[in-house]
Amino acid sequence: MGDRTAQTERKTKETHVKVDLNLDGTGQANIDTGIGFLDHMLHALAKHARFDLTLTCKGDLHVDDHHSAEDCGLALGSAFDKALGKRVGILRFSHAYCPLDEALSRAVVDISSRPYAQVNLGLKREKIGELSCEMIPHVLQSFATEARICLHVECLYGFNDHHRAESAFKATAVALRNAITVQEGWTDVPSTKGVLS
């Protein structure tokens, strides 16, 4: 197995996002999206997935947070897909439950190469910091689309929206970490089709 690393850049009239990703890292992260709470969520994702991640975004935050948050999810997903390559020898399916105090979230992932996301966090606030709560599930959906994975994430309960969101990102991270783990002695693609593309 070669290095599972990738660099991607997404540049539009609205944002400029750069990503450097190592799927087999130690959880080191250098994140600067211009949105503090998004930085916090992406740092939690990298830490608990054991990804080494550098991500920067210069976006039109004078408009709002939508373009920056969405494009960070898209660019990170693209880097993930590129770094993962042909999906040979990976576990493919995984799930994880992660609590944060009173909040508990579940994430289920299939590295299927067929993008789909169902994200239900039940957030009540308008914003957490400078990140709109409607954008928090959208970041995960955008990531899943470009990563070409099937992702189901749900916050099962909890009253603090910060805790609900963070437990969801942590559960996603742990499920991803497990799903992409290369299994000793596995030399094929985990699909009856023979490919995951």
Side-chain angles (χ1 to χ4, degrees):
M1 181 187 71
D3 290 342
R4 298 194 298 176
T5 62
Q7 296 77 41
T8 59
E9 185 173 8
R10 178 180 174 87
K11 191 170 186 179
T12 71
K13 292 181 179 180
E14 299 164 340
T15 67
H16 186 190
V17 185
K18 294 181 180 180
V19 179
D20 191 326
L21 177 65
N22 178 1
L23 297 181
D24 300 305
T26 61
Q28 299 299 307
N30 183 8
I31 315 289
D32 184 7
T33 67
I35 307 168
F37 192 71
L38 181 57
D39 292 355
H40 182 43
M41 293 300 94
L42 295 178
H43 188 268
L45 183 74
K47 179 67 175 180
H48 296 287
R50 304 286 291 173
F51 297 163
D52 288 344
L53 173 63
T54 299
L55 186 152
T56 60
C57 176
K58 301 297 182 185
D60 57 355
L61 293 175
H62 62 284
V63 176
D64 70 4
D65 59 342
H66 184 102
H67 300 139
S68 291
E70 179 178 65
D71 285 3
C72 286
L74 292 171
L76 179 57
S78 178
F80 178 93
D81 181 45
K82 183 178 175 183
L84 196 55
K86 293 183 178 180
R87 285 108 161 110
V88 173
I90 63 169
L91 187 59
R92 178 178 169 179
F93 301 98
S94 189
H95 70 276
Y97 290 81
C98 284
L100 180 53
D101 296 346
E102 88 298 341
L104 178 66
S105 291
R106 175 184 60 221
V108 184
V109 65
D110 175 9
I111 310 296
S112 61
S113 299
R114 295 187 305 278
Y116 180 81
Q118 184 71 243
V119 183
N120 298 300
L121 304 185
L123 304 176
K124 306 297 186 190
R125 291 167 57 176
E126 181 180 351
K127 300 173 83 174
I128 303 176
E130 292 304 312
L131 182 60
S132 302
C133 281
E134 68 183 7
M135 291 308 299
I136 295 172
H138 190 60
V139 168
L140 291 172
Q141 292 161 349
S142 299
F143 168 78
T145 297
E146 287 298 308
R148 298 190 306 127
I149 65 173
C150 177
L151 177 66
H152 292 255
V153 185
E154 185 173 11
C155 183
L156 302 175
Y157 47 79
F159 59 81
N160 182 296
D161 277 356
H162 183 134
H163 292 171
R164 292 179 72 98
E166 188 171 344
S167 68
F169 271 78
K170 288 177 175 177
T172 301
V174 175
L176 287 172
R177 172 75 266 150
N178 294 335
I180 67 169
T181 298
V182 175
Q183 306 300 300
E184 186 176 355
W186 291 18
T187 58
D188 61 346
V189 173
S191 171
T192 55
K193 295 182 179 68
V195 296
L196 285 172
S197 62

